[in-house]
Amino acid sequence: MPAASGSKEAMDVKHAEFMKSSAHPQECPPPERPEYAFIGRSNVGKSSLINMLTNRNSLAKISSTPGKTQLINHFVIDEDREKNGAPASWYLVDLPGFGYAKVSKSSRVKWQRTSEQFLKSRPNLMCVMMLLDSRHSPQKVDLEFMEWMGENQLPFVMVFTKVDKLNLEERASFLPKYEAEMLKRWHRMPPVYVTSAEKGEGRDEVLRFIEQTNALFEAP
Ligand SMILES: Nc1nc2c(ncn2[C@@H]2O[C@H](COP(=O)(O)OP(=O)(O)OP(=O)(O)O)[C@@H](O)[C@H]2O)c(=O)[nH]1
Ligand SMILES: [Mg+2]
């Protein structure tokens, strides 16, 4: 039987469904599937990336409807899917965007507390997908948040968004620049994915990463 990592063909998403919005980590679905939390500053392109990965036009819109923006939103991907006889479905978690200047300080603090408690409480959290806008130089909030994840031993990968907006020169230089900043704080770079929701770039790579990581999940 081929190993999950042996297939060149990236997994595709057949089915994606909104499951639940939770105000507190305790209200989240039971940790019975591997889980990936998507996080990033407001406007980074999180909804667009989620829609691109799941092939849905407006899946992530649900998360931005008023009232849900401060919540932990669970989507179940490929609920009935199996691979090599084992369940192969997963949870995609859309966490509220952070660093949004227009929200009050108190709701920013609340966001942070909820998201941090959530991330620390999930035994099924396989990886945090840290979204970063490829047009922007490294931002303090992002660097600090990654540092916090490191301190708490939360695995994460960096997902650069909107690369279609870069010209050739920027495209060649944004990653080395970011890397130089990261290496001031880290011994080595986490895995990096370069994406464009507009062009579908990076989709296969991200889905392949998720599929390979799903294979490491041990059900509780
Ligand atoms: N050119 C280009 N534009 C993008 C891409 N991804 C997102 N955008 C645009 O960037 C803006 C923000 O995208 P969203 O997906 O709504 O970002 P978000 O992070 O979900 O934003 P909030 O939910 O408001 O915090 C929109 O105008 C998108 O059309 C991309 O890959 N390429
Ligand atoms: Mg959004």
Side-chain angles (χ1 to χ4, degrees):
M1 223 174 259
S5 56
S7 70
K8 286 260 181 330
E9 193 81 346
M11 141 176 103
D12 206 2
V13 169
K14 298 264 184 295
H15 196 249
E17 204 178 323
F18 172 70
M19 190 179 187
K20 189 178 186 192
S21 293
S22 315
H24 301 287
Q26 312 89 277
E27 295 165 11
C28 289
E32 60 199 11
R33 301 171 208 270
E35 177 162 283
Y36 300 82
F38 287 67
I39 201 159
R41 277 187 303 130
S42 194
N43 201 46
V44 69
K46 189 157 53 84
S47 298
S48 305
L49 183 79
I50 289 172
N51 290 336
M52 183 268 262
L53 291 174
T54 56
N55 264 333
R56 299 299 185 279
N57 285 330
S58 59
L59 189 73
K61 216 193 241 164
I62 297 163
S63 311
S64 57
T65 50
K68 299 213 169 179
T69 47
Q70 299 288 324
L71 301 175
I72 304 158
N73 297 296
H74 273 80
F75 298 86
V76 60
I77 309 297
D78 291 342
E79 187 157 15
D80 298 321
R81 191 166 168 266
E82 288 191 1
K83 183 162 176 126
N84 301 340
S89 70
W90 49 285
Y91 287 137
L92 187 161
V93 185
D94 188 1
L95 288 175
F98 64 89
Y100 191 47
K102 281 192 190 141
V103 304
S104 66
K105 178 136 189 264
S106 65
S107 64
R108 256 182 282 161
V109 169
K110 184 170 168 291
W111 169 87
Q112 196 161 345
R113 205 179 305 130
T114 305
S115 296
E116 291 182 357
Q117 279 171 358
F118 167 76
L119 293 172
K120 287 202 280 187
S121 73
R122 300 293 284 177
N124 58 331
L125 180 68
M126 306 303 281
C127 194
V128 178
M129 314 301 278
M130 176 75 198
L131 270 58
L132 300 154
D133 192 323
S134 60
R135 297 169 303 171
H136 301 160
S137 56
Q139 307 281 306
K140 191 160 173 266
V141 270
D142 291 330
L143 294 167
E144 285 176 358
F145 188 71
M146 288 187 273
E147 227 160 82
W148 177 85
M149 288 195 282
E151 283 161 11
N152 287 278
Q153 289 165 9
L154 294 168
F156 69 93
V157 298
M158 300 167 83
V159 180
F160 287 95
T161 61
K162 308 188 188 183
V163 285
D164 60 283
K165 292 200 174 200
L166 304 181
N167 64 33
L168 274 178
E169 193 196 328
E170 291 162 339
R171 170 120 206 180
S173 63
F174 82 94
L175 204 49
K177 274 190 208 154
Y178 215 108
E179 195 168 336
E181 195 58 41
M182 288 293 281
L183 293 178
K184 290 181 189 165
R185 301 156 186 251
W186 298 81
H187 292 301
R188 60 186 171 84
M189 279 286 276
V192 168
Y193 294 92
V194 171
T195 69
S196 159
E198 195 76 20
K199 306 269 183 228
E201 188 173 340
R203 183 173 188 271
D204 287 356
E205 288 78 6
V206 172
L207 290 179
R208 194 176 297 126
F209 165 75
I210 290 174
E211 179 169 46
Q212 289 174 358
T213 310
N214 280 345
L216 307 174
F217 177 67
E218 287 170 26

